[in-house]
């Protein structure tokens, strides 16, 4: 992973994005400390799906791989005067 100072990354943003797409995520530093990461949309999407798949992805999974913890509550509701 390459490291870019914030001011350099701002001035050469297109190059940072192209490098991220070709070589992987790029670290941006501010005052010598890690500040952020720039990554391609493809890398971001893969990372995002790995940590928290969306509803569509969840529903498209085969039923055997879906584990739901479903438990009915004993609550009978409340009485309401009419």
């Amino acid at each position: 992973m390459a490291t870019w100072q914030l001011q350099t990354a701002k001035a050469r943003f297109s190059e940072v994005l192209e490098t991220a797409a070709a070589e992987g995520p790029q670290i941006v530093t501010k005052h010598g400390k890690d500040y952020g990461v720039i990554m391609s949309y493809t890398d971001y999407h893969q990372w995002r799906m790995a940590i928290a798949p969306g509803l569509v992805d969840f529903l498209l999974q085969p039923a055997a791989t879906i584990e739901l913890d479903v438990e009915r509550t004993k609550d009978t509701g409340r009485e309401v005067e009419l």
Side-chain angles (χ1 to χ4, degrees), residues 56-74:
V56 172
D57 297 309
F58 175 76
L59 294 175
L60 289 175
Q61 289 180 22
T65 62
I66 298 174
E67 293 182 28
L68 297 176
D69 184 19
V70 180
E71 202 174 295
R72 187 176 178 137
T73 65
K74 307 276 190 268

Side-chain angles (χ1 to χ4, degrees), residues 13-42:
F13 189 65
S14 292
E15 184 181 344
V16 176
L17 284 177
E18 289 172 12
T19 305
E23 299 175 15
Q26 305 294 297
I27 297 172
V28 177
T29 62
K30 184 176 181 181
H31 303 298
K33 296 183 180 180
D34 292 347
Y35 188 67
V37 176
I38 297 177
M39 63 175 62
S40 69
Y41 179 78
T42 303

